[in-house]
């Protein structure tokens, strides 16, 4: 049987080429997603500024904001045996000005004390180390700022411009983000909490290994909250957001990798099933001459195993490049930091190979099982005209998939709220599509009945012949309708899921945008008390500074499980907050937000059982617990809940300690344009600030949403391309194998034009049926999702998306049907009839 399987491959080139392409494409997708997952699991971040440290001591990096360490630990670490030196590292926003504009170029410039330059192996290339009121800059920053040794340069340090003399230009062997180094007296003056440090770089004494040093430090610091990092983990102390980026990559890779596997099973099963159907006569003859069911199954499995291995070998060279491309899109979109190193080892490659081969074998087993269990005499009859398709396993699995789809539809509509509903909406589409596919021949009968009159009227005799073909060969017709359903259903669902989610985020932002204008930071932030100067500007009615962070409320669930779900925590200044904060109050007042206080969304308050006036356990971004009094409640859309707290409370517990925005409301009788002009003049005198009106704020938020959604669109597009591949392959194979049928029609008097019109009518039937089922699949996905995120059953997004999806499906179906038909008609009827 293995030898026979190999020999049969060359006689079914079309079908096997289609299966080969589907398997190879699926393997590439799974390998690429596996590479993303491995990268997220490893989260390898090679150190840059801390490369010289053998061990980096830092706080817990699992929280939204950095957990800083007591500076007194430096002396304690220096006393540990095996330690040559311990160097504290403290970072703060700093950017030189060029023509009054901060030099950032998209990269955040960071200030440090000169002593920490040793941790990055920086050396003075020109000039000298900085003294008080001096700064040393890295070579790249010096070039962008256009400064040289001895120049006076204005630097925005923690949002405040100050003038320094450039003492030197430094460089390092390893690539690193832009850095500015200041003298210790300047750092003590710049940073208000100089008794805390971000990290401590520990240098080992000669002859002491890194493992020994780590063990000694672990013993010495066991009573502290310090975390010890070695190897590539040291980079996490520099790029704290890398951990979140790694987790996001794991989720994205898991979701889309799983979807790719499901689609691969679906696609390959359909193509192989069609191939087996077209070989009914061959298999019937094998059964008739004594071939056992087991031998027949081994024949199909043997062919498929060879095909799967070949497809895997073809996919191998493309898995890593595609994974690296996707990783690049993630970093460009801000989902993950470019500091993370992409890894795709043998595990994702083996996983992709295994999925490809196992998918093929599973599909082949399912396709060959029905053919093998048929009796020889029945098989010969079935080969001529296959009608049987019902079996108890098929019906059982169809019911299970449809029940699962219905369950997820109800869960999405009734249980899930907000953007999190996407986690169940995506799988819903695949469950419904799989259930419909298993019932395909039965649904085809319904579709033919529904379309009988319209197609008969529109296409005349050609339509009548197409309908007769569809009725008598329902299994074959279903095999062509299902790929159209899958392509249109998945494309419509995935695209409108993204547009609906983006629209919901835009509405949540714009509905509560009460400020007429805002001042936003362009150089890391600015001091919270700058809002006092803004309030004195002409035309300003109210102004409130905003500090962005994250936090969570303590509950019994958090105490029992340790799981905490953080939500955005916005620090605001109380004066002017009632008229500028982006919330609609239902109780209390934001003017009372002073000291340890908090304002909650009504949905969050109900969930935790809190009321106005209660004292609640509030955890800030750096894991600091505060007993905060609830002074206000406000409405918020599900999934877009936030918390408000005094800016003076939140800022010290953030990475920079600075505000990022000042929301401004115009005074009575002052036009928004007049206010914006006043803020623009103010921003011109304060480098690192930018004035923006309401339209600019909405546009910036929409652009941010589009950037975040881009990677979802990209991954969805790849899945859609996979389904389109299956559609084209299936239709080409199904049409190309009908040369004998076309020959009989031509021998009995049919012309080329009549055959083409008949096939055009069949293509219209397939397109209409596929779009009907695909639309139904998308409805079962999008309606509950839209109810969850917006309360409306209609998804948000332009109609042209649906028209483009269905139009593309129609064009591809017609092309993949008529082009092979034209090619088949080139063969003389007598020669083609031999294939009968």
């Amino acid at each position: 049987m293995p030898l026979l399987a190999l020999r049969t491959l060359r006689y079914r080139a079309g079908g096997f080429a289609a299966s080969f392409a589907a398997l190879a494409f699926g393997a590439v997708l799974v390998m690429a997603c596996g590479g993303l997952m491995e990268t997220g699991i490893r989260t390898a971040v090679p150190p840059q500024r801390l490369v010289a440290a053998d061990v980096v001591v830092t706080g817990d990096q699992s929280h939204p904001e950095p957990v800083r360490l007591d500076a007194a630990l430096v002396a304690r670490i220096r006393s540990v045996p095996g330690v040559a030196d311990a160097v504290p590292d403290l970072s703060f926003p700093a950017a030189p000005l060029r023509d009054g504009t901060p030099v950032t170029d998209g990269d955040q410039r960071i200030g440090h004390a000169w002593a920490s330059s040793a941790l990055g192996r920086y050396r003075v290339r020109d000039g000298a180390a900085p003294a008080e009121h001096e700064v040393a800059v890295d070579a790249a920053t010096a070039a962008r700022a256009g400064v040289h040794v001895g120049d006076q340069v204005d630097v925005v340090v923690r949002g405040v411009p100050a003038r320094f003399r450039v003492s030197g230009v430094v460089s390092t062997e390893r690539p690193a983000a832009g850095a500015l180094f200041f003298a210790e007296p300047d750092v003590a003056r710049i940073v208000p909490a100089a008794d805390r440090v971000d990290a401590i770089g520990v240098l080992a004494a000669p002859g002491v290994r890194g493992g020994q040093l780590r063990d000694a430090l672990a013993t010495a610091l066991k009573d502290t909250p310090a975390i010890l990092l070695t190897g590539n983990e040291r980079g996490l102390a520099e790029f704290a957001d890398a951990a979140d980026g790694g987790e996001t990559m794991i989720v994205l890779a898991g979701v889309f990798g799983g979807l790719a596997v499901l689609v691969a099973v679906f696609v390959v099963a359909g193509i192989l099933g069609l191939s087996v159907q077209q070989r009914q006569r061959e298999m019937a003859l094998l059964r008739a001459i004594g071939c056992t069911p087991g031998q027949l199954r081994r024949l199909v499995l043997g062919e498929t195993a060879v095909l799967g291995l070949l497809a895997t070998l073809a996919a191998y060279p493309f898995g890593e490049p595609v994974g690296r491309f996707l990783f690049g899109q993630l970093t460009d979109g801000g989902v993950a930091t470019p500091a993370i190193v992409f890894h795709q080892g043998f595990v994702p490659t083996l996983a992709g190979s295994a999925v490809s081969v196992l998918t093929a074998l599973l599909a082949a087993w399912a396709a060959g099982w029905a053919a093998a269990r048929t009796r020889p005499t029945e098989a010969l009859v079935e080969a001529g005209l296959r009608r049987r398709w019902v079996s108890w396993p098929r019906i059982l699995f169809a019911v299970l998939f449809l029940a699962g789809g219905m369950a997820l539809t109800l869960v999405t509509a009734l249980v899930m709220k907000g953007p999190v509903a996407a986690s169940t909406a995506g799988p819903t589409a695949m469950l419904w599509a799989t259930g419909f596919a298993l019932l395909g021949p039965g649904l085809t009968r319904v579709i033919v009945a529904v379309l009988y009159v319209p197609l008969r009227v529109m296409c005349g005799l050609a339509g009548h012949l197409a309908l007769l073909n569809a009725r008598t060969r329902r299994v074959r017709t279903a095999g062509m309708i299902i790929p159209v359903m899958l392509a249109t259903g998945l494309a419509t669902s995935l695209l409108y899921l993204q547009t609906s989610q983006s629209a919901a985020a835009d509405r949540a932002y714009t509905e509560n945008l009460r400020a007429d204008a805002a001042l936003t930071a362009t150089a890391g932030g600015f001091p919270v008390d700058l809002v006092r100067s803004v309030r004195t500007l002409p035309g300003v009615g109210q102004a409130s500074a905003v500090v962005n962070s994250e936090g969570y409320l303590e509950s019994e669930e958090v105490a029992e499980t340790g799981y905490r779900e953080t939500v955005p925590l916005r620090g605001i200044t109380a004066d002017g907050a009632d008229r500028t904060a982006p919330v609609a109050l239902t109780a209390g007042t934001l003017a009372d937000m002073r000291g340890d206080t908090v304002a909650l969304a009504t949905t969050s308050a109900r969930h935790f059982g809190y009321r106005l006036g209660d004292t609640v356990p509030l955890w800030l971004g750096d894991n600091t617990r505060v007993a905060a009094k609830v002074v206000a409640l406000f409405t918020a859309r599900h999934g877009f809940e936030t918390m408000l707290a005094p800016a003076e409370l939140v800022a010290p517990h953030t990475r920079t300690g600075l505000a990022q925005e000042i929301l401004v409301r115009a005074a009575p009788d002052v036009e928004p344009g007049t206010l914006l002009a006043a803020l623009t003049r103010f921003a011109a005198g304060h480098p690192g600030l930018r004035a923006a009106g309401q339209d600019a704020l909405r546009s910036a938020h929409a652009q941010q949403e589009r950037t975040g959604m881009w990677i979802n669109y990209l991954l969805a597009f790849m899945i859609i391309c996979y389904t389109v591949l299956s559609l084209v392959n299936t239709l080409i194979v199904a049409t190309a194998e009908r040369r004998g049928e076309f020959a009989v029609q031509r021998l009995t008097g049919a012309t080329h034009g009549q055959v083409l019109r008949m096939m055009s009518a069949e293509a219209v039937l397939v397109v209409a049926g596929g779009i009907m089922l695909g639309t139904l699949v998308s409805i079962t996905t999008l309606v509950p999702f839209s109810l969850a995120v917006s309360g409306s059953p209609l998804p948000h997004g332009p109609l042209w998306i649906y028209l483009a999806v269905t139009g593309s499906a129609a064009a591809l179906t017609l092309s993949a049907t008529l082009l092979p038909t034209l090619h088949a008609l080139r063969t003389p009827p007598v020669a083609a009839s031999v294939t009968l």
Side-chain angles (χ1 to χ4, degrees), residues 32 36 319-329 341-344:
L36 290 180
E320 183 175 353
V322 172
R324 196 173 295 277
F325 167 75
L326 293 177
F327 176 71
Q329 296 301 311
V341 176
F342 178 77
H343 280 280
Q344 183 161 322

Side-chain angles (χ1 to χ4, degrees), residues 423-723:
S423 61
T424 54
T428 300
M430 281 306 303
L431 289 176
W432 281 103
T434 306
F436 287 161
L438 291 171
L439 299 178
L443 294 174
T444 299
R445 184 173 185 174
V446 176
I447 291 170
V448 171
V450 171
L451 297 177
Y452 181 84
V453 174
L455 198 63
R456 185 70 174 85
V457 172
M458 290 173 54
C459 302
L461 181 60
H464 180 65
L465 289 174
L467 290 166
L468 288 177
N469 277 332
R471 278 179 172 177
T472 55
R473 298 183 182 271
R474 280 186 290 136
V475 176
R476 184 186 68 187
T477 305
M480 295 187 290
I481 289 177
I482 295 306
V484 180
M485 174 202 72
L486 183 64
T488 55
L490 277 187
T492 304
S493 298
L494 292 176
L495 293 177
Y496 277 111
L497 281 177
Q498 305 305 324
T499 57
S500 297
Q501 191 166 339
S502 181
D506 286 340
R507 283 196 307 277
Y509 179 80
T510 58
E511 282 177 352
N512 293 319
L513 181 59
R514 304 170 65 198
D516 296 312
L519 288 168
T520 59
T522 62
F526 48 82
V528 172
D529 58 9
L530 183 66
V531 70
R532 298 175 184 173
S533 300
V534 176
R535 293 192 184 113
T536 64
L537 296 177
V540 173
Q542 301 289 341
S544 178
V546 178
V547 180
N548 294 317
S549 185
E550 294 182 34
Y552 69 96
L553 294 173
E554 187 175 295
S555 64
E556 293 182 1
E557 181 181 357
V558 172
E560 293 174 359
T561 65
Y563 172 76
R564 58 184 186 274
E565 182 178 356
T566 60
V567 299
L569 173 62
R570 307 190 78 184
I572 59 173
T573 50
D575 293 336
D578 274 335
R579 294 188 60 196
T580 59
V583 294
L585 294 178
T586 59
T589 174
L590 297 181
D592 293 337
M593 297 202 67
R594 307 176 192 275
D596 294 346
T597 56
V598 67
L600 302 177
T602 53
T603 52
S604 299
R606 283 197 301 268
H607 175 74
F608 290 101
Y610 296 140
R611 298 179 180 178
L612 189 69
D614 288 351
T615 299
V616 303
L618 171 66
W619 290 85
L620 303 177
D622 64 349
N623 206 38
T624 298
R625 188 178 187 275
V626 176
K629 181 181 179 180
V630 179
V631 297
L633 298 174
F634 56 88
T635 59
R637 283 182 173 272
H638 284 294
F640 299 96
E641 292 86 356
T642 184
M643 296 187 294
L644 303 180
E648 298 79 4
L649 171 65
V650 177
H653 301 277
T654 62
R655 186 176 306 280
T656 63
L658 303 174
Q660 289 78 42
E661 193 176 36
I662 295 178
L663 300 176
V664 184
R665 189 75 178 264
D669 301 326
V670 175
E671 294 294 329
T674 304
L675 173 65
L676 182 59
L679 294 178
T680 301
R681 290 191 295 271
F682 180 82
H686 292 76
L689 289 182
R690 179 188 294 123
Q694 275 198 353
D695 291 341
L697 292 174
R698 293 191 186 97
S699 177
H701 181 269
Q703 179 60 39
Q704 183 179 1
E705 285 294 320
R706 285 193 293 270
T707 300
M709 289 291 181
W710 161 242
I711 187 63
N712 291 334
Y713 279 117
L714 177 63
L715 293 171
F717 177 73
M718 296 183 71
I719 298 296
I720 292 168
C721 286
Y722 193 18
T723 60

Side-chain angles (χ1 to χ4, degrees), residues 51-88:
V51 65
D54 297 286
V55 178
V56 174
V57 182
T58 186
D60 188 354
Q61 300 296 319
S62 64
H63 302 288
E65 303 289 354
V67 178
R68 295 186 171 89
L69 299 174
D70 190 339
L73 283 179
V74 177
R76 183 172 174 179
I77 291 173
R78 285 173 178 160
S79 65
V80 175
V83 173
D85 195 9
V87 182

